[in-house]
Amino acid sequence: MKDIYLFLCFSSLTAILSCSSLPVKPNPIYKGCNLSFRLIELYSGSQKNNYLYAPDPKIKVNHSRYEDLSDVSEEWIRAKQNGKYGFINTEDKLVFAYDLEFVGDYSNGFAVYRDGASFRDPKAYLDKKGNLLGNLSFDEAYSFYNGYALVQNDDNYGIIDTKGKFILPTKYDFLTNFHNGWAVFKREEHQGLVNTNGIEKKFVHDLYDIKSYFYEGYLTFTHYKKMGLMDSNFKILIPPKYDYLGQVKEGLIRFQLNHKWGFLDETGKIVIEPKFDDVYDFSEGYATIKIKEKYGKINKRGDYFIEPNFDYIGSFKNGIAIAEENKKRGFITLEAEWLVPPIFESVSEIKDGIFSYKLNNLWGFVNLRGCIHK
């Protein structure tokens, strides 16, 4: 019977690889580990289930049994069982009971959580011991970033730190978290930048509206539903003539004009003409593009690195990106090869040596840290 299961597994993988639009990386080695994963099909009565097998003993496979799993964050993974959320550690051990209606990932030692079933119920911050941050609750609460978190009460925004102290009071009509030491704000008739000391740098203009992060020294703004770019001194760098402008990433800015997407440089010069149905930001030299519901990759000249034949392609991180083909997902490399062919129903990015995967409509995770630390 075991031989039958192995035969079924081999046959299914062969079928996947034979119709793939990218070559399979031969002997796929990642951080010293062999990623030649296999799916083993097992039957219980008429029920067939797929199980993930890793031939490399340095890889630890934790089988799919969760309703949902997050990425690893501060050594914990958010898990869902019987409709409730809790946390497991990287050894697949329960560290926080499944009694939360909603909870986010841990960041800076705290996770946003909600005690009630309705998304309108108050939110608060929970540490890893189950204690509330300052016994504070908010209409809305957002994850901590570099020691600060954006909160909202009665449609007004403020920012707190990890001690529960208000860095900025909840008095702003619009507010972002701090980036590069400044947050974008709107308050009554005023708008501009505010720093961690509460000092405001106001931008006076009746027709321009700032509503973006202050990122890498730049701000996007709107004017009659068109977007432009300015610097930290509110000098206009790119006039407002685009339907959408993104942030500056790797020296290029994605933009939309007349329902098509392309890329500008920081001076406003069009580097890649708007001919795509959608684009992602550049990451590690390449950007994901979309044409007629299919995804591909381009380089910074606009040339195809991967033709748009995929159901989905994510951004490269550490040389690896998620890709979907024939409703299955795996990982591709900067060599335009499959590192792990599309065998998963869904899969997360590899973060801190761990990735989550979905099989049989349930989630499990793979620990690659035995590879990374060797």
Side-chain angles (χ1 to χ4, degrees):
M1 188 64 70
K2 180 180 179 181
D3 292 337
I4 294 174
Y5 295 149
L6 291 177
F7 173 75
L8 290 172
C9 168
F10 177 78
S11 298
S12 63
L13 285 177
T14 302
I16 290 170
L17 304 185
S18 64
C19 62
S20 175
S21 59
L22 287 181
V24 178
K25 192 173 180 66
N27 190 27
I29 303 299
Y30 175 79
K31 304 290 186 179
C33 273
N34 187 334
L35 297 194
S36 298
F37 292 107
R38 295 289 183 266
L39 292 184
I40 299 176
E41 295 179 344
L42 296 177
Y43 286 83
S44 176
S46 61
Q47 181 70 37
K48 181 187 77 173
N49 287 316
N50 290 316
Y51 291 89
L52 189 67
Y53 170 72
D56 195 319
K58 297 190 294 295
I59 298 175
K60 185 176 180 181
V61 174
N62 299 274
H63 293 297
S64 53
R65 60 189 182 93
Y66 297 98
E67 295 167 21
D68 192 21
L69 282 181
S70 72
D71 292 338
V72 62
S73 182
E74 299 185 358
E75 296 302 295
W76 283 16
I77 301 170
R78 176 166 41 90
K80 188 178 184 181
Q81 290 277 53
N82 299 317
K84 296 278 190 175
Y85 289 95
F87 287 89
I88 57 175
N89 63 19
T90 56
E91 300 299 319
D92 204 12
K93 304 297 183 184
L94 184 66
V95 291
F96 201 113
Y98 298 109
D99 59 3
L100 300 172
E101 291 286 347
F102 169 82
V103 65
D105 294 333
Y106 276 91
S107 177
N108 296 164
F110 293 94
V112 177
Y113 102 106
R114 185 184 70 225
D115 194 33
S118 171
F119 70 92
R120 294 186 179 89
D121 287 327
K123 288 82 177 174
Y125 293 94
L126 203 64
D127 70 14
K128 287 190 171 183
K129 295 180 179 179
N131 300 314
L132 294 181
L133 175 62
N135 290 318
L136 297 170
S137 64
F138 306 95
D139 294 341
E140 291 294 341
Y142 301 86
S143 296
F144 275 95
Y145 173 78
N146 288 342
Y148 302 103
L150 187 68
V151 296
Q152 180 184 2
N153 273 331
D154 298 325
D155 294 326
N156 293 316
Y157 293 87
I159 292 177
I160 63 171
D161 64 13
T162 55
K163 303 292 185 183
K165 175 186 175 183
F166 276 92
I167 303 303
L168 297 178
T170 49
K171 66 176 184 179
Y172 295 93
D173 302 319
F174 173 83
L175 191 65
T176 68
N177 207 335
F178 294 112
H179 285 257
N180 307 114
W182 294 88
V184 175
F185 79 91
K186 289 181 69 70
R187 178 173 52 80
E188 297 173 347
E189 73 277 12
H190 303 295
Q191 62 176 329
L193 296 170
V194 56
N195 65 18
T196 55
N197 295 317
I199 298 173
E200 297 178 352
K201 183 161 61 171
K202 295 184 177 67
F203 172 62
V204 181
H205 200 292
D206 292 336
L207 299 178
Y208 290 171
D209 187 24
I210 302 174
K211 276 197 173 181
S212 73
Y213 282 101
F214 176 62
Y215 186 80
E216 300 297 333
Y218 299 100
L219 293 156
T220 55
F221 66 96
T222 58
H223 175 61
Y224 292 120
K225 297 183 179 181
K226 295 292 184 177
M227 294 186 69
L229 187 76
M230 63 176 66
D231 65 16
S232 60
N233 294 315
F234 310 123
K235 177 184 176 182
I236 306 301
L237 303 176
I238 299 176
K241 60 181 181 180
Y242 298 99
D243 300 326
Y244 181 86
L245 272 185
Q247 305 287 354
V248 179
K249 297 290 180 70
E250 297 190 0
L252 294 177
I253 308 164
R254 62 191 180 102
F255 75 93
Q256 184 186 40
L257 187 63
N258 299 325
H259 306 291
K260 293 293 182 180
W261 292 82
F263 289 89
L264 306 164
D265 66 16
E266 298 166 43
T267 69
K269 177 184 175 182
I270 293 179
V271 177
I272 299 173
E273 293 291 333
K275 58 183 179 180
F276 305 107
D277 295 328
D278 199 3
V279 298
Y280 294 3
D281 290 321
F282 272 89
S283 177
E284 300 186 7
Y286 299 97
T288 296
I289 58 87
K290 182 180 179 183
I291 295 181
K292 294 181 179 179
E293 304 304 318
K294 290 293 184 178
Y295 293 80
K297 287 277 189 184
I298 59 171
N299 62 22
K300 291 187 177 181
R301 297 187 302 274
D303 302 323
Y304 282 118
F305 170 63
I306 296 174
E307 296 283 340
N309 297 319
F310 287 81
D311 300 324
Y312 171 80
I313 301 181
S315 297
F316 279 115
K317 293 186 179 179
N318 299 314
I320 298 172
I322 297 168
E324 180 179 322
E325 193 171 49
N326 299 320
K327 298 183 179 180
K328 298 290 185 180
R329 293 194 174 194
F331 297 107
I332 62 173
T333 70
L334 286 168
E335 288 77 39
E337 296 176 323
W338 287 106
L339 177 67
V340 178
I343 59 176
F344 303 105
E345 295 164 20
S346 190
V347 69
S348 74
E349 296 172 348
I350 300 174
K351 180 182 176 184
D352 296 336
I354 289 173
F355 70 88
S356 301
Y357 69 92
K358 188 177 183 182
L359 286 175
N360 313 311
N361 208 33
L362 293 172
W363 286 86
F365 70 97
V366 174
N367 191 329
L368 301 172
R369 291 183 175 182
C371 316
I372 293 171
H373 296 304
K374 295 293 182 182

